[in-house]
Amino acid sequence: MNCMLIGVLRGSEGLAATKAKTTTSAKAKSRSKAKTKTKKTLVVVESPAKAKTIEKYLGRKYMVRASMGHLRDLPKSQFGIDVEHDFAPKYINIRGKGDLIKALKKDAKNADKIYLASDPDREGEAIAWHLAFILGIDPASDCRIVFNEITKPAIQEAVKHPRSINLDQVDAQQARRMLDRIVGYKLSPLLWRKVRKGLSAGRVQSVTVRLICDREKEIQAFQSEEYWSVGVKLRKGRSAMFQAELTQVDGRKLGVNEEGGKKFALHSEKETTALVEDLSQQDFVVAGVKRSERKRKPSAPFTTSSLQQDAARKLGFTSRKTMMLAQQLYEGIELGRHGATGLITYMRTDSTRISELAQQEAKEFLTESFGESYVPAKPNIYVTGKKAQDAHEAIRPTSLQHTPESLEKYLNKDQLRLYTLVWQRFAASQMTPAVYDTMSVTIGAGSRYQLRAAGSQLKFAGFTKVYAGADATKKEKDVLLPDLAEQDELNLAKTLPQQHFTEPPPRYNDASLVKTLEEKEIGRPSTYAPIIETIQARGYVQRIDKHFQPTELGFVVVDMLETYFKDIVDVKFTANLENELDEIAEGKVGKNQLLREFYGPFEETLEEADKAIGHVELPVEVSNVKCELCGRMMVVKQGRFGKFLACPGFPECRNTKPLLRDTGVKCPKCGGSIVERRTRRGRVFYGCENYPDCDYTTWDTPQKETCEKCGSFLLKHHFKNGRGMLYCSNDACETRIDHPINKELEKMRQRAEAKKKREEEKAAADASAAGNDKQ
């Protein structure tokens, strides 16, 4: 019995041991399988938002990580280029990126395969090259994938077709970076010694500042000239009145300036009055009628430049804001159950090309939405400029099915406005032209005068059904003329003489500056926004009422550079350098050849300028404000956020105060002057000079004009699209009843209250968290 029990026990022990061995073996196999399963393909992109979207499309076998842009660069503390040894750059890991680099290396070690998926441009190619160095990848291997849009088909297709890193594009980016480093690190110290500490000069930025300075000089030198135009209101029998303009007098065209006697100009009211009296005595007869059909074609889809221009014109966005929003739309927006979705194609492009797949999808969508008459038989093809790199498509929605209306609840206000612009422009580009019936009427008045009237009526909407056009803020209005024929007699109802003055060329705004940079081939689409931001940050240019004006510092630096460094601020020289960078990217020119040709003459000029230039004194603008600490008259200084008052006794006296520009309007509360002030973030507002005793403030610009009804001063409200609206500052005035400004002011009030509430809730939450930490 005992023997049997011992046998059973021993048998059970053996069984347990066998089971334990089996379990251990199973666990080992399980761990082995788990290890095998953890081997994934690593995809490295630039931004976390993009990583999140792409990981969703690729699935579990992939892990997608973000490099957060560049991980290596030239050192900030030194020149970083070995000129003596073929311009060898000294790259170092960027400070603060150590933990990120360590994490990427760890992921790379555990990965079965690595793909570098930085942006599809030269900058992205250089980032991939630096990543290859850090992660120990051979740049000649198939490690690089590119895509123009973040959609599932585009991502999956890109993974199927990896390629090697394009070293020519990398060299082009390196050459640009090194040229900028040479100019910045060699020229800036000269400005410190000769002008003042803290200044810097850039290769492309300096040319941009010169353009703005040259435009300001034109404006200052401009002599305005008075001239008059003459319009008339006519009618045929009992028909509606229509307007005609005087175009010829005694066979000469009416114009602003006389050119060798070919043009006739009216320069004074006396001269115009005499002509109008004579014109009024004449018989008006239709001399000719021309009817025709005019077709207006749609604009090409957006490039980086045209997107920035249209967003500035129509939405009032700065170039920086446009590119920031476009980046968000490209990288992906959370669309409810659909998750993060890329909504537009890559936003840094100078091409107007559209893929056949996108053309076909647009054709189907537009046919279904508007009908066959709105879709051309063959897709519209747009010519890309000679200098365009044409690396990828124009900016377009990833799918027209994502209509602005369907995305309204997922996008914030500004994202929606920009997306709507992109969607409408692309949809319009694939539609038929708008057709207008036009009528041009020539009218004779006696033997001396000829007038012209023009009418047009929309016959077929075509692309204007969705998009007004690049330069239009709203759709064209019909201008109707009565049914006229030759020899019809017309009756004069009214004469409309109007005084004008020739105007100087306008200052650059975001749209016109970007357009000029593109036309003159200065920089590339991806550099426009950083250029504009940099020249403002350095105090060379300031944005006033959405227009750029040079500061005194900007004038001084540009004048000095023009005298001693003509090439640096020469438009053609800078454009030629851009062309040479393009040739490096195409493998036609060597990087070091370009750097040698630039560096030698530049170094010689630098030495000569250092000897020739004495210390440059910046002009000092003395104010009428006395320093309350030492009694000196304070001077106007230029800072990062604009002008301010400072004591000239620095460093003994360090007193500073904001520069308050008097608007010339009296405060309705206390009778003090209303002055211009700025918030901490530099936004302009207006308040009483007697603050804090008087708390009157307004965001809108006080005007010297007064209300016809109550005599209060007027305010001008500026909308984001640049439009202005005048209204009476007196809330109780009868002109304010049902005035459109009331809704706008109520919206502003609600936004301000909501912001204040959020700040109070955040402060309460922070205080609560701090209390819990103490406990």
Side-chain angles (χ1 to χ4, degrees):
M1 182 77 177
N2 290 338
C3 291
M4 285 178 67
L5 183 61
I6 291 166
V8 170
L9 288 170
R10 282 179 178 171
S12 62
E13 282 174 7
L15 185 63
T18 306
K19 281 182 178 178
K21 278 185 181 178
T22 306
T23 305
T24 307
S25 175
K27 283 181 179 177
K29 284 181 180 178
S30 175
R31 279 198 296 270
S32 174
K33 283 181 181 178
K35 280 186 179 178
T36 308
K37 284 180 182 177
T38 55
K39 284 285 183 181
K40 295 183 178 183
T41 298
L42 173 64
V43 179
V44 185
V45 297
E46 286 187 40
S47 76
K50 195 189 297 185
K52 188 178 179 183
T53 311
I54 292 171
E55 196 163 51
K56 181 187 74 170
Y57 293 144
L58 289 177
R60 293 179 181 178
K61 292 182 180 180
Y62 293 83
M63 53 179 169
V64 186
R65 301 290 183 264
S67 72
M68 311 294 286
H70 277 282
L71 294 177
R72 291 204 308 160
D73 197 6
L74 298 171
K76 288 184 177 180
S77 58
Q78 52 186 280
F79 185 45
I81 301 171
D82 191 346
V83 177
E84 304 300 325
H85 294 88
D86 277 338
F87 296 89
K90 177 187 176 182
Y91 290 116
I92 63 168
N93 292 344
I94 296 171
R95 182 177 292 179
K97 299 257 180 148
D99 291 342
L100 178 59
I101 290 171
K102 196 182 292 183
L104 285 172
K105 282 183 174 180
K106 185 179 178 182
D107 288 331
K109 192 176 179 181
N110 295 326
D112 184 44
K113 192 180 290 182
I114 303 171
Y115 289 135
L116 306 174
S118 44
D119 288 348
D121 54 16
R122 293 177 196 170
E123 199 75 24
E125 209 70 23
I127 288 173
W129 181 72
H130 286 301
L131 277 167
F133 177 86
I134 289 170
L135 302 178
I137 303 168
D138 180 5
S141 65
D142 289 340
C143 61
R144 176 85 167 111
I145 60 172
V146 292
F147 37 82
N148 185 47
E149 59 186 68
I150 302 180
T151 58
K152 193 170 184 177
I155 301 299
Q156 291 176 341
E157 187 67 19
V159 170
K160 289 178 187 175
H161 300 97
R163 61 166 173 80
S164 60
I165 292 172
N166 187 326
L167 295 179
D168 289 329
Q169 286 195 349
V170 174
D171 279 349
Q173 189 277 339
Q174 286 192 93
R176 176 189 290 281
R177 182 77 185 91
M178 291 161 76
L179 279 171
D180 291 342
R181 173 56 64 100
I182 289 167
V183 174
Y185 274 53
K186 292 289 185 180
L187 194 51
S188 296
L190 180 70
L191 294 178
W192 301 344
R193 293 192 297 274
K194 305 299 181 181
V195 185
R196 80 172 187 206
K197 283 278 186 183
L199 295 183
S200 57
R203 182 180 60 85
V204 180
Q205 293 92 327
S206 298
V207 186
T208 309
V209 177
R210 182 192 172 175
L211 289 172
I212 294 169
C213 287
D214 287 349
R215 176 60 58 87
E216 195 66 25
K217 287 174 183 174
E218 284 183 63
I219 293 168
Q220 291 171 359
F222 184 80
Q223 296 292 322
S224 185
E225 181 183 347
E226 181 185 6
Y227 71 99
W228 289 71
S229 64
V230 178
V232 294
K233 289 280 188 181
L234 300 169
R235 101 170 1 116
K236 175 188 173 183
R238 294 186 177 181
S239 73
M241 284 193 295
F242 65 94
Q243 188 163 328
E245 299 294 328
L246 180 65
T247 56
Q248 285 189 29
V249 179
D250 296 327
R252 289 191 295 170
K253 286 185 179 179
L254 191 68
V256 178
N257 298 305
E258 293 185 25
E259 298 176 2
K262 292 181 181 178
K263 283 193 176 181
F264 181 86
L266 296 167
H267 291 295
S268 67
E269 185 176 6
K270 183 180 178 182
E271 192 179 359
T272 306
T273 303
L275 182 141
V276 168
E277 286 179 1
D278 186 46
L279 178 65
S280 303
Q281 308 302 316
Q282 309 302 320
D283 294 326
F284 292 83
V285 179
V286 175
V289 178
K290 183 180 178 183
R291 289 181 173 85
S292 62
E293 186 180 88
R294 176 172 66 89
K295 288 187 177 181
R296 185 174 155 220
K297 294 181 179 179
S299 301
F302 281 130
T303 61
T304 305
S305 168
S306 58
L307 176 64
Q308 290 179 20
Q309 291 174 52
D310 229 23
R313 273 192 296 259
K314 295 188 173 186
L315 308 178
F317 289 174
T318 63
S319 296
R320 180 177 178 275
K321 183 174 182 177
T322 299
M323 295 309 291
M324 178 189 72
L325 293 169
Q327 183 89 31
Q328 294 166 4
L329 296 172
Y330 166 67
E331 289 178 350
I333 302 291
E334 287 287 341
L335 303 183
R337 62 185 178 83
H338 299 290
T341 305
L343 295 178
I344 65 169
T345 53
Y346 191 53
M347 64 285 157
R348 292 187 181 93
T349 176
D350 50 11
S351 172
T352 54
R353 179 172 56 81
I354 294 296
S355 70
E356 290 183 9
L357 194 66
Q359 288 174 343
Q360 184 59 36
E361 191 216 5
K363 183 177 181 179
E364 291 170 5
F365 176 85
L366 294 169
T367 303
E368 185 180 336
S369 302
F370 300 103
E372 290 185 3
S373 57
Y374 285 87
V375 183
K378 292 182 179 179
N380 295 331
I381 305 295
Y382 297 91
V383 178
T384 296
K386 291 180 182 178
K387 299 297 177 184
Q389 295 169 25
D390 202 34
H392 26 259
E393 289 184 67
I395 303 169
R396 61 168 176 81
T398 52
S399 171
L400 279 178
Q401 299 290 343
H402 291 139
T403 62
E405 293 76 21
S406 69
L407 300 179
E408 196 168 349
K409 60 183 176 183
Y410 303 113
L411 304 181
N412 65 38
K413 183 182 176 184
D414 287 338
Q415 287 172 341
L416 181 63
R417 293 173 75 200
L418 189 69
Y419 179 76
T420 301
L421 202 62
V422 172
W423 191 94
Q424 289 177 344
R425 174 84 165 224
F426 172 66
S429 75
Q430 302 305 302
M431 295 174 74
T432 50
V435 182
Y436 297 85
D437 281 331
T438 63
M439 184 175 177
S440 178
V441 181
T442 306
I443 300 163
S447 58
R448 294 189 63 199
Y449 307 107
Q450 190 178 95
L451 300 93
R452 184 177 176 273
S456 68
Q457 187 173 11
L458 183 65
K459 184 178 181 181
F460 176 70
F463 77 92
T464 62
K465 193 89 172 172
V466 295
Y467 181 73
D471 299 315
T473 52
K474 56 181 87 173
K475 293 184 179 181
E476 287 187 16
K477 290 183 178 179
D478 290 341
V479 179
L480 301 178
L481 296 178
D483 187 23
L484 299 173
E486 281 188 41
Q487 302 304 315
D488 279 350
E489 294 183 358
L490 304 172
N491 300 317
L492 177 65
K494 193 176 184 182
T495 57
L496 303 167
Q498 194 169 3
Q499 183 186 38
H500 308 275
F501 292 91
T502 54
E503 295 182 353
R507 292 186 175 95
Y508 289 110
N509 56 22
D510 277 84
S512 59
L513 184 58
V514 165
K515 186 178 181 181
T516 302
L517 291 174
E518 183 182 39
E519 287 173 350
K520 295 185 180 295
E521 297 173 19
I522 298 169
R524 280 293 174 258
S526 59
T527 66
Y528 297 151
I531 288 170
I532 293 170
E533 287 299 307
T534 302
I535 60 178
Q536 290 180 88
R538 289 176 178 169
Y540 299 140
V541 166
Q542 52 189 339
R543 185 190 267 113
I544 299 175
D545 293 333
K546 299 191 177 182
H547 290 83
F548 298 110
Q549 292 185 35
T551 61
E552 286 295 337
L553 178 61
F555 276 122
V556 168
V557 171
V558 166
D559 287 344
M560 193 182 91
L561 293 177
E562 277 187 302
T563 304
Y564 297 99
F565 298 90
K566 289 184 179 178
D567 285 347
I568 297 299
V569 289
D570 182 68
V571 173
K572 287 184 180 178
F573 178 80
T574 306
N576 289 337
L577 269 181
E578 290 294 341
N579 294 334
E580 290 184 64
L581 289 170
D582 290 345
E583 290 180 347
I584 292 173
E586 294 163 10
K588 296 176 183 176
V589 176
K591 166 174 68 75
N592 292 347
Q593 179 187 337
L594 172 63
L595 293 170
R596 273 193 298 271
E597 289 174 357
F598 177 83
Y599 186 78
F602 177 72
E603 186 73 8
E604 288 176 16
T605 308
L606 199 65
E607 290 176 10
E608 292 170 7
D610 200 9
K611 294 174 186 175
I613 304 172
H615 185 73
V616 180
E617 289 290 340
L618 286 170
V620 177
E621 184 183 343
V622 181
S623 74
N624 58 357
V625 179
K626 186 179 283 188
C627 175
E628 63 269 25
L629 300 182
C630 68
R632 295 182 179 94
M633 299 307 291
M634 302 187 84
V635 295
V636 179
K637 294 281 187 180
Q638 178 72 38
R640 185 179 175 187
F641 299 111
K643 293 183 177 181
F644 65 96
L645 291 176
C647 182
F650 181 88
E652 293 85 14
C653 180
R654 296 173 176 267
N655 188 22
T656 63
K657 57 175 63 179
L659 177 64
L660 305 177
R661 185 180 67 82
D662 192 346
T663 61
V665 178
K666 296 300 179 184
C667 173
K669 284 191 172 183
C670 70
S673 293
I674 298 177
V675 295
E676 183 183 290
R677 296 181 180 273
R678 287 183 182 269
T679 65
R680 288 180 183 177
R681 294 189 175 183
R683 186 180 172 190
V684 173
F685 72 100
Y686 301 89
C688 181
E689 65 175 347
N690 295 325
Y691 177 84
D693 297 327
C694 178
D695 64 353
Y696 177 81
T697 59
T698 176
W699 290 110
D700 297 334
T701 313
Q703 309 290 307
K704 291 181 181 177
E705 303 148 74
T706 56
C707 175
E708 294 179 359
K709 295 289 183 182
C710 72
S712 301
F713 65 89
L714 299 182
L715 288 168
K716 188 172 188 179
H717 180 77
H718 296 277
F719 292 90
K720 284 189 174 182
N721 62 5
R723 185 170 63 89
M725 180 188 289
L726 284 172
Y727 67 96
C728 180
S729 60
N730 178 11
D731 294 344
C733 179
E734 63 179 272
T735 61
R736 289 286 297 276
I737 299 171
D738 296 329
H739 196 289
I741 195 63
N742 296 337
K743 288 183 180 179
E744 186 66 21
L745 294 177
E746 179 60 23
K747 284 181 188 176
M748 290 173 68
R749 187 189 64 76
Q750 289 175 0
R751 284 197 293 266
E753 284 183 357
K755 184 181 178 183
K756 186 179 178 182
K757 187 179 178 182
R758 286 195 302 270
E759 289 173 350
E760 288 173 351
E761 288 173 352
K762 186 177 183 299
D766 291 345
S768 175
N772 293 336
D773 290 344
K774 285 180 182 178
Q775 291 174 7

